[in-house]
Amino acid sequence: MRKSEVLAAESVSCLNKALCHLKDIWEEIGIPEDQRLQRTNVVKNHIKSLLDMMVKEEECLRQRLVISIQTCRTDMEKLCLELQLNAFEEESGISMLQQENNIRTQVEALLKEKAQRMQQLKALLEQEQDLCDILCSELYGLSADSVPTLEQLESFSQHVASQNTEKLKRYAEFADLKRQIILYMAELEHTPETSFEKDVVCEDEDAFCLSRDNISSLKLLVCQLEESKVENEARCEANREKIQRLWDRLQVPQEDREAFNDHMVSSRKKNLEALRAEVQRLEELKLLNICNVTEAIRSEIAVFWEKCFFSTDQRQDFAPYFSETFTEELLSLHDAEIQRLKQHYEEHQDLFDGVHQWEDSWRLFLDLEKKATDPTRFTNRGGNLLKEEKQRSELHKSLPKLENKLKAQIDTWESEQDREFLVHGKKFLQYVEEQWELHRIEKEKEKQERHLKKSKQTEEDMLYGTAVRTPTKRRLLGTTTPIKTRKFNATSSISSATSNSSSRSVYGATVCRSPAPRPPLSANKTPLVRTPGVGKPPNPRLQGCNKENEAQLKGSPLSARLVKGL
């Protein structure tokens, strides 16, 4: 039996005991039966009224529970719909009170979740509004009245975070651009004029709108100021070059130049104005010294003519250079010409430098060739001969490579410029070929001169018996020429009349014609008639020094007559 049934039985038992006790009391008092019945009816009515009241109260409680359950169900369905959650599943087989408690607890949880979402949404909306005001960007689009989902809140939160990052990025960019603008304006001595420039420079940084358009405008302003600065520096530099050139031409004293040094370094607005004033002053002074200035410019023109390898015809094309009537117009023509030459040199400096390099190498090559014919080179004990031979070997390799490189560069330049590249009025390859040809002719001329000199000396020895001595440098090496009879002297002079020079053919294959190689020495050798006992054998260290001249002498008609006569 349940406890409630036990309690009900006990209540009935208590009621019966109370009624029996009342009956005993009434009997003891002697209350008549009709009054007893009346009194019993009063007790019954009282108990019935009390029980009816209690039942009514419990009925009201049940009704409240039913209403509460219905209300909570309605609220829960609405909240689930707003929060976009699945419907709450009620437990089956539970009492009404437990059911109401479960639904009410669930509703309270949903209300708390809704409040949290709305609070988070409100905070994010406030942040977004501030960021949109600063960045001038569009709103994300979430309504402040509807409850967002968790996914919407997460996405919105990420959007606000990215906007905040963008704000920091743009602010840093704005601060850097503002710093550059202030710096450029200070250098240019520029005062903010437009409202935008005043907003950037003068207003508070936090009040500036960091929109994309404003950032682009800032970058454009920086570029404009930077271009103005570059133009200002270019103007200052051009004026400085003019001033320096005019100072040199007018021979301005050093102390006057030093007094102007401050303006020769800075490029502010006041410096530009001072430079312009100085240029104007020097131009006026130049007109008063036209003759000296023109001569100074002519010296510069001559230097650039040399740098650009101008031929005589090209130089004569500039007729004002040779005029002796010094006027302002003549000075202007010279100024224009020197500017043209400078531009021409700067545009093709790489080619001119390459040709200068070839000429330097060529002069070194000619110098080494000249040293190679010097008989005193064998007396050197410092290793210079070996160094010279090494240099000659390197030049034989580098000259053809350099000529090929210049040829390729010149071909490219000529195809691009659609005109010829001239060196001293000639094409480069023609110029190089002429240098090689001149070198070959010079060597042939030297060879003929040596040959004539040897022939003349030999004839004098044959006619007058002149003793031929070994050159001084060879005597230092311990070689002597024995003196016997006149006949022996003639024979000895033939065998020992060799040149102390040794010339070498031009090495290496080049793009230009090089001197013709010399035939082997054995090709010109003829048997030499030796007189027994005449002189002592030549020094082995010097035996191979004069093979070239020996071959030339033996191949000459005079040497043939001498050998025949002997």
Side-chain angles (χ1 to χ4, degrees):
M1 184 178 292
R2 292 183 297 181
K3 289 183 179 182
S4 60
E5 294 177 354
V6 174
L7 289 175
E10 289 179 357
S11 298
V12 172
S13 176
C14 289
L15 179 61
N16 290 329
K17 286 181 180 181
L19 289 174
C20 291
H21 193 192
L22 286 175
K23 181 180 179 182
D24 291 341
I25 293 174
W26 290 337
E27 287 180 354
E28 185 178 357
I29 294 174
I31 296 175
E33 183 65 23
D34 55 343
Q35 290 182 0
R36 292 180 185 178
L37 182 63
Q38 184 179 1
R39 288 177 180 272
T40 304
N41 190 39
V42 171
V43 172
K44 183 197 72 165
N45 292 333
H46 180 72
I47 293 173
K48 183 176 179 299
S49 176
L50 179 61
L51 290 175
D52 290 340
M53 183 184 65
M54 293 178 64
V55 169
K56 186 177 180 180
E57 289 178 357
E58 295 302 322
E59 285 288 343
C60 290
L61 175 61
R62 187 184 67 175
Q63 188 65 27
R64 287 198 304 271
L65 287 175
V66 171
I67 294 173
S68 176
I69 289 173
Q70 292 178 351
T71 304
C72 290
R73 280 177 177 172
T74 303
D75 294 340
M76 184 175 63
E77 291 175 358
K78 182 179 179 181
L79 289 172
C80 288
L81 184 62
E82 289 179 347
L83 298 175
Q84 297 186 10
L85 297 176
N86 296 327
F88 176 71
E89 296 182 1
E90 300 181 15
E91 295 183 19
S92 59
I94 60 175
S95 65
M96 185 182 294
L97 187 63
Q98 184 65 36
Q99 185 181 16
E100 190 272 341
N101 183 61
N102 292 344
I103 296 175
R104 181 166 45 80
T105 303
Q106 184 66 24
V107 168
E108 290 175 356
L110 292 176
L111 287 174
K112 184 177 180 180
E113 175 71 16
K114 177 182 177 180
Q116 290 178 350
R117 291 191 189 183
M118 295 302 292
Q119 184 179 3
Q120 186 178 359
L121 175 63
K122 181 180 179 181
L124 291 174
L125 287 173
E126 291 176 355
Q127 295 181 34
E128 182 197 28
Q129 188 62 48
D130 294 338
L131 291 172
C132 289
D133 293 340
I134 295 175
L135 302 176
C136 296
S137 58
E138 296 181 356
L139 295 173
Y140 186 75
L142 280 182
S143 174
D145 299 329
S146 61
V147 182
T149 64
L150 294 176
E151 291 79 6
Q152 288 175 335
L153 279 177
E154 180 66 22
S155 176
F156 189 33
S157 178
Q158 291 178 359
H159 170 72
V160 172
S162 65
Q163 289 290 92
N164 197 30
T165 303
E166 182 68 18
K167 172 193 170 184
L168 297 176
K169 177 183 176 182
R170 291 190 190 180
Y171 182 81
E173 190 173 7
F174 163 70
D176 182 61
L177 292 172
K178 179 179 179 180
R179 180 185 59 79
Q180 295 182 45
I181 289 171
I182 294 175
L183 181 62
Y184 284 142
M185 285 186 174
E187 292 179 354
L188 295 172
E189 298 180 358
H190 175 75
T191 304
E193 297 175 353
T194 64
S195 59
F196 181 75
E197 292 179 356
K198 292 178 182 178
D199 291 341
V200 174
V201 177
C202 304
E203 297 297 331
D204 186 14
E205 293 182 356
D206 296 333
F208 186 80
C209 180
L210 301 175
S211 64
R212 294 185 183 275
D213 293 338
N214 283 351
I215 296 296
S216 300
S217 300
L218 285 174
K219 292 180 179 179
L220 179 61
L221 179 58
V222 169
C223 291
Q224 291 174 351
L225 292 173
E226 187 175 5
E227 289 177 359
S228 299
K229 178 187 175 183
V230 172
E231 290 176 0
N232 196 58
E233 290 178 348
R235 293 192 191 100
C236 289
E237 190 61 29
N239 286 318
R240 290 190 189 105
E241 291 179 359
K242 289 181 181 179
I243 290 171
Q244 192 65 46
R245 187 167 59 251
L246 290 171
W247 277 351
D248 296 337
R249 291 174 181 175
L250 297 173
Q251 298 180 355
V252 176
Q254 187 63 31
E255 54 271 15
D256 294 343
R257 302 186 185 190
E258 293 176 355
F260 201 73
N261 277 346
D262 292 340
H263 300 295
M264 299 297 286
V265 178
S266 301
S267 299
R268 296 178 178 270
K269 185 177 180 181
K270 62 180 181 180
N271 302 121
L272 178 59
E273 293 174 355
L275 291 170
R276 286 173 176 172
E278 179 67 8
V279 169
Q280 184 177 358
R281 185 185 72 83
L282 293 174
E283 289 287 349
E284 293 173 356
L285 187 61
K286 180 181 73 172
L287 296 178
L288 299 177
N289 298 270
I290 289 180
C291 181
N292 295 334
V293 174
T294 303
E295 291 296 338
I297 297 177
R298 285 178 176 177
S299 299
E300 295 182 33
I301 290 175
V303 171
F304 276 98
W305 278 348
E306 292 296 330
K307 287 184 177 180
C308 298
F309 303 101
F310 272 33
S311 64
T312 303
D313 294 338
Q314 288 177 299
R315 301 182 186 193
Q316 289 178 351
D317 288 341
F318 183 60
Y321 183 87
F322 307 96
S323 176
E324 297 298 331
T325 304
F326 298 98
T327 61
E328 184 176 351
E329 182 180 0
L330 183 70
L331 181 59
S332 300
L333 293 174
H334 280 72
D335 278 332
E337 180 65 14
I338 190 64
Q339 294 300 325
R340 186 186 71 82
L341 289 174
K342 285 182 178 179
Q343 182 179 359
H344 177 70
Y345 177 74
E346 290 173 358
E347 289 177 353
H348 317 304
Q349 186 174 359
D350 293 340
L351 288 180
F352 290 136
D353 290 345
V355 177
H356 279 296
Q357 182 183 357
W358 182 88
E359 285 195 333
D360 292 340
S361 300
W362 177 253
R363 281 192 291 268
L364 179 59
F365 172 74
L366 294 180
D367 185 56
L368 293 174
E369 285 283 296
K370 185 176 181 181
K371 288 181 179 180
T373 60
D374 186 3
T376 61
R377 72 189 190 283
F378 294 106
T379 63
N380 177 271
R381 297 183 182 273
N384 288 336
L385 185 60
L386 182 60
K387 295 178 181 178
E388 291 175 2
E389 288 299 323
K390 185 177 180 181
Q391 281 184 316
R392 282 163 54 85
S393 177
E394 292 176 353
L395 285 174
H396 289 152
K397 297 177 181 179
S398 63
L399 273 175
K401 293 181 180 179
L402 182 57
E403 290 170 5
N404 289 327
K405 178 182 177 182
L406 286 174
K407 179 181 180 299
Q409 291 179 348
I410 290 173
D411 290 342
T412 303
W413 183 90
E414 289 180 345
S415 62
E416 292 176 353
Q417 301 292 328
D418 196 21
R419 55 194 177 100
E420 294 182 344
F421 181 82
L422 302 179
V423 177
H424 299 299
K426 306 169 185 175
K427 297 192 69 172
F428 175 70
L429 294 182
Q430 181 183 357
Y431 170 71
V432 171
E433 288 178 358
E434 288 184 358
Q435 297 303 310
W436 281 105
E437 183 64 20
L438 290 174
H439 175 61
R440 187 189 65 79
I441 294 173
E442 184 66 22
K443 288 182 68 68
E444 289 292 333
K445 183 179 178 182
E446 291 177 359
K447 179 179 177 181
Q448 292 176 4
E449 289 178 353
R450 289 196 303 270
H451 179 70
L452 292 175
K453 183 177 179 181
K454 293 296 181 180
S455 299
K456 184 177 180 181
Q457 183 66 40
T458 304
E459 289 177 357
E460 290 179 356
D461 292 344
M462 292 294 294
L463 294 175
Y464 305 109
T466 306
V468 179
R469 296 183 178 272
T470 306
T472 306
K473 296 296 182 179
R474 293 194 175 183
R475 289 204 303 271
L476 293 176
L477 294 174
T479 306
T480 58
T481 304
I483 302 175
K484 297 294 182 178
T485 63
R486 180 176 179 180
K487 181 177 180 181
F488 294 158
N489 283 338
T491 307
S492 176
S493 64
I494 295 173
S495 62
S496 62
T498 61
S499 172
N500 293 328
S501 63
S502 63
S503 61
R504 291 165 173 79
S505 60
V506 179
Y507 295 91
T510 65
V511 296
C512 306
R513 183 174 57 188
S514 61
R518 190 172 289 106
L521 297 178
S522 59
N524 294 330
K525 286 187 177 181
T526 57
L528 179 63
V529 179
R530 295 183 56 86
T531 305
V534 178
K536 62 181 180 180
N539 192 331
R541 296 174 59 185
L542 303 177
Q543 189 173 7
C545 296
N546 302 313
K547 288 183 178 181
E548 178 185 349
N549 294 329
E550 184 178 353
Q552 294 172 2
L553 180 60
K554 291 180 178 180
S556 64
L558 180 59
S559 62
R561 289 199 302 270
L562 290 175
V563 173
K564 183 178 180 182
L566 293 175

